[in-house]
Amino acid sequence: MKYLARRLAYAVLLLGTISIFSFALLQWAPGNFFDSMRLDPHVSAQTVNAMRARYGANGPFVVCYAGWIRSLVKGDMGYSFAYGTAAGPLLWTRARNTLVLTASGTLLAWLLALPLGIWSAANKGTWGEKICGAATSSLMTIPDLLLSLILLLLAVRTGWFPTGGMISSGAANASFWSEIADIVRHLILPVAALTVSILPMLVRHIRSAMIDALESPFIRAARGHGIPRRRLLFVYALRAASNPLITLFGFSIAGMLSASLIVEVVLSWPGLGPLMVQSILARDVYVVIGIVMLSSVFLVAGNLVADVLLFVTDPRIRVE
Amino acid sequence: MNEQNGSILMRVSNLSKEYVQRHPLTRSKVTVHALRRVNLAIRQGATLAVVGESGSGKSTLVRCLALIERTTSGEIWWGDVNLTALAKQGLFNMRRRVQMVFQDPTSALNPGMRADEIIEEPLAIQGIGTNRERRRRALELMEEVRLPAKWAGKLPMELSGGQRQRLAIARALALGPELLIFDEALSNLDLANQETILRLLKELQSAHRLTYIHVAHDLRMVEDLADEVAVMDEGEIVEHKTAQEIFMHPEHSYTQELLAASLSLKAIVEERRVAEFA
């Protein structure tokens, strides 16, 4: 409990620091949403000044930051000037969509990478493993953008998958299961893009961790006791290799939001990715800060999950 | 080597082991002959030391004998059973008879297991006894290797190097083997720990009628513990005699070189001791 409490305290401290820095950077960056408004001949200078005063954009940094913290506590997370609404609800809806996509992609990638990585390690040096290694290397060289475009082209040419959005226009009125099926159909392309972009890195890490574990003398000793191969691989070696893999799992949770950015933009998934691009272009400061903070929360949560899992699985950490 | 004294526990006949490696730059295949037609007889109840320089094939030989590594050709006979021709189940049963203690006790023990779990592990793998019986046996073995039973819940990282090696010995003893192989198992320990464990090994040998194979670098230690010495060079056994004969009348030039190197090392150590004393 003490370990967990200490980790939580670090996490809160880190999030506080990130919020101050990101707020300061965006506040002090040249130009803002109101400067863009000034360029519009239909909007008078008085209107712009009145809006600045209304949203507290004229105050010093500390006052602006305190105002944002108050709004964060209420769940509003500031105000979106571009959408004319509180940033919080806007972010939550988009974050939920992104979570659906990234959680599915990450889960699928791990489900495929674990057996592939273990198999590659167990069959090191064979032709099959060499082909697998060449395939993962090739996939790693393909940029996410190109991968998403290829999948988009495939969807357009074949017509097998929807080319954008999360739900078809008529599906919202259909039954619950029809709606789920429609979402799943829309998920296929972006999930495939995400999975393919993460999979090679995961397979390589799992393979390398497993090779290290399989070469350790205590695994050799277990072999000398006659342990069956499957148990050796999936129980002994995998457990021995679990520490770096748990850390990697934490990072993959942490990178979930940022990993999907390009995929969401190219494949028109209504998540945080497109919203972030729009908000940056419109200088919608509070939405951008909200997205940065959500990414940071995921980063911290991923590390926290990894720390807790390591604490549970590795008795050495408990002893220390 | 004269095989008249004592019955033969294990006989190795024309054992070869080859590895195929790739050249890092040209990627051309290179065959490494780790063992070249090794012939060896291991007497029951005796202690055989296998000595030689690094890369001479000592560890490969004992790993083949411990059935951890496959041989390329040749035979290993246990009585009238050819171990190299055994099917899966036969090999599984045979593993109870031959056990190995590794050089580095830190990496040879599962860092995530408690001391009692480490000793119970081979029994569980071999499906011997109930949980309670295995636990009782683990505690007995801990006592036998002079580890207090109250340390059963400790992790390897909580034990010293010597204590870890005792734990590794207890694990090797769990299946009641007839042949125990030590792959430079004492080389990582300080002198005091080496002597204590050597004494313990002698006690265990007479109590359990064990046969030992020690892979060693240190010829001075070999002189104390071995009945027979096999000298290895470039994957071959160049000389195999009783320890006394090897130390008194080394025949092969390589054995003579090894002994000379060991003696000069001994002289340097003695010289330093005298200098320190002065």
Side-chain angles (χ1 to χ4, degrees):
Chain A
M1 277 315 280
K2 209 171 152 187
Y3 174 82
L4 195 64
R6 204 172 57 220
R7 286 289 176 196
L8 269 172
Y10 280 142
V12 171
L13 197 69
L14 186 66
L15 283 175
T17 313
I18 291 170
S19 74
I20 291 171
F21 273 100
S22 47
F23 204 88
L25 277 173
L26 282 166
Q27 282 282 310
W28 294 329
N32 56 34
F33 180 78
F34 302 107
D35 293 333
S36 312
M37 277 185 87
R38 268 185 216 279
L39 299 175
D40 189 342
H42 303 293
V43 183
S44 67
Q46 286 87 346
T47 311
V48 174
N49 286 337
M51 280 184 78
R52 286 185 74 101
R54 187 177 160 199
Y55 296 118
N58 291 328
F61 171 76
V62 180
V63 174
C64 289
Y65 183 72
W68 181 73
I69 291 287
R70 269 197 304 277
S71 121
L72 181 72
V73 172
K74 278 196 283 179
D76 286 349
M77 297 181 83
Y79 191 81
S80 166
F81 307 122
Y83 285 85
T85 172
L90 191 70
L91 287 168
W92 296 133
T93 318
R94 295 297 192 106
R96 188 198 60 198
N97 297 347
T98 295
L99 263 182
V100 169
L101 170 64
T102 51
S104 317
T106 310
L107 185 72
L108 186 64
W110 272 94
L111 285 176
L112 292 171
L114 265 175
L116 262 175
I118 294 171
W119 179 85
S120 298
N123 294 285
K124 188 184 156 196
T126 60
W127 274 106
E129 189 265 336
K130 280 175 190 165
I131 291 168
C132 182
T136 51
S137 299
S138 311
L139 283 176
M140 272 175 116
T141 60
I142 303 176
D144 292 354
L145 181 66
L146 182 63
L147 188 70
S148 305
L149 285 171
I150 292 170
L151 287 172
L152 188 64
L153 186 72
L154 177 84
V156 171
R157 286 280 166 91
T158 60
W160 293 341
F161 310 105
T163 50
M166 188 176 168
I167 193 159
S168 307
S169 50
N173 301 324
S175 69
F176 174 74
W177 289 113
S178 308
E179 197 181 336
I180 294 289
D182 191 57
I183 292 174
V184 169
R185 247 167 45 80
H186 281 81
L187 263 175
I188 292 173
L189 273 193
V191 164
L194 258 187
T195 306
V196 173
S197 67
I198 316 169
L199 187 71
M201 184 266 292
L202 289 183
V203 171
R204 289 187 154 243
H205 273 90
I206 293 168
R207 177 184 174 274
S208 134
M210 283 293 290
I211 286 174
D212 280 350
L214 285 169
E215 282 170 3
S216 57
F218 76 88
I219 293 285
R220 211 178 285 155
R223 232 181 247 154
H225 299 138
I227 190 166
R229 186 175 156 82
R230 197 170 291 176
R231 194 165 155 201
L232 180 87
L233 282 176
F234 288 92
V235 180
Y236 274 65
L238 189 58
R239 199 182 287 168
S242 64
N243 279 15
L245 298 185
I246 287 172
T247 311
L248 184 67
F249 179 69
F251 277 126
S252 67
I253 293 178
M256 262 163 60
L257 286 191
S258 50
S260 64
L261 187 76
I262 292 172
V263 173
E264 284 183 0
V265 172
V266 177
L267 295 170
S268 311
W269 181 261
L272 285 170
L275 180 67
M276 186 164 184
V277 175
Q278 289 158 14
S279 310
I280 290 171
L281 292 175
R283 294 162 194 250
D284 204 352
V285 184
Y286 290 113
V287 177
V288 177
I289 292 176
I291 295 172
V292 170
M293 286 313 294
L294 276 176
S295 297
S296 309
V297 166
F298 266 80
L299 183 79
V300 170
N303 283 325
L304 198 65
V305 167
D307 284 342
V308 172
L309 279 175
L310 284 173
F311 185 78
V312 171
T313 55
D314 191 344
R316 286 173 296 176
I317 295 173
R318 293 201 291 274
V319 168
E320 275 167 8
Chain B
M1 174 70 205
N2 182 11
E3 293 173 8
Q4 300 306 310
N5 310 324
S7 59
I8 302 299
L9 184 75
M10 188 185 251
R11 188 189 299 275
V12 177
S13 169
N14 292 325
L15 192 71
S16 294
K17 173 76 187 175
E18 291 168 4
Y19 298 100
V20 178
Q21 288 181 338
R22 283 199 180 268
H23 191 278
L25 291 177
T26 61
R27 308 298 296 157
S28 56
K29 282 184 182 175
V30 181
T31 305
V32 179
H33 298 274
L35 296 177
R36 297 167 193 262
R37 301 177 68 83
V38 170
N39 290 294
L40 184 67
I42 298 147
R43 278 192 307 115
Q44 194 158 27
T47 299
L48 167 71
V50 181
V51 298
E53 287 175 342
S54 295
S56 59
K58 313 180 294 286
S59 292
T60 308
L61 172 66
V62 292
R63 280 205 293 265
C64 289
L65 300 185
L67 312 172
I68 291 173
E69 214 153 295
R70 284 169 189 267
T71 57
T72 307
S73 63
E75 290 156 354
I76 303 170
W77 290 90
W78 184 281
D80 54 0
V81 180
N82 181 3
L83 303 187
T84 52
L86 278 179
K88 209 173 169 185
Q89 187 58 42
L91 206 59
F92 180 77
N93 295 335
M94 200 60 218
R95 291 187 190 280
R96 295 183 188 187
R97 296 183 165 186
V98 188
Q99 283 296 303
M100 188 154 165
V101 179
F102 295 88
Q103 181 177 16
D104 178 16
T106 308
S107 57
L109 303 171
N110 191 332
M113 280 186 171
R114 298 191 315 260
D116 55 348
E117 289 173 330
I118 286 170
I119 304 173
E120 286 171 38
E121 181 195 12
L123 295 167
I125 289 171
Q126 287 276 336
I128 298 170
T130 60
N131 282 346
R132 186 176 288 184
E133 285 164 353
R134 289 200 282 261
R135 162 102 184 143
R136 202 178 56 226
R137 180 82 185 115
L139 296 180
E140 280 170 13
L141 282 164
M142 282 186 76
E143 295 282 359
E144 202 167 348
V145 297
R146 317 272 192 280
L147 285 174
K150 64 179 179 187
W151 288 359
K154 282 188 185 270
L155 295 170
M157 64 178 277
E158 295 176 272
L159 302 173
S160 70
Q163 289 160 351
R164 282 178 210 164
Q165 203 54 292
R166 284 159 196 251
L167 187 60
I169 293 168
R171 177 180 65 181
L173 287 173
L175 293 175
E178 292 167 56
L179 175 62
L180 258 187
I181 299 171
F182 299 87
D183 187 5
E184 298 192 46
L186 305 178
S187 62
N188 275 4
L189 304 177
D190 57 56
L191 279 177
N193 260 317
Q194 273 187 9
E195 274 177 30
T196 321
I197 290 187
L198 274 176
R199 228 177 298 134
L200 172 73
L201 291 181
K202 278 180 183 163
E203 285 171 28
L204 292 170
Q205 189 170 32
S206 49
H208 296 277
R209 293 171 44 100
L210 290 165
T211 305
Y212 287 159
I213 298 178
H214 277 277
V215 170
H217 271 304
D218 187 352
L219 285 176
R220 288 164 298 156
M221 192 180 77
V222 167
E223 201 174 356
D224 292 336
L225 67 92
D227 302 311
E228 294 170 17
V229 179
V231 183
M232 285 196 78
D233 182 29
E234 293 184 354
E236 288 178 74
I237 293 186
V238 293
E239 199 163 356
H240 179 194
K241 287 177 172 176
T242 64
Q244 204 182 2
E245 282 175 320
I246 283 276
F247 285 100
M248 298 301 286
H249 310 289
E251 275 176 29
H252 198 275
S253 57
Y254 180 72
T255 314
Q256 288 165 358
E257 275 173 36
L258 266 185
L259 277 171
S262 168
L263 286 172
S264 59
L265 188 70
K266 204 172 177 179
I268 291 167
V269 172
E270 285 300 321
E271 210 170 86
R272 278 192 190 157
R273 275 190 189 157
V274 171
E276 272 174 26
F277 184 72

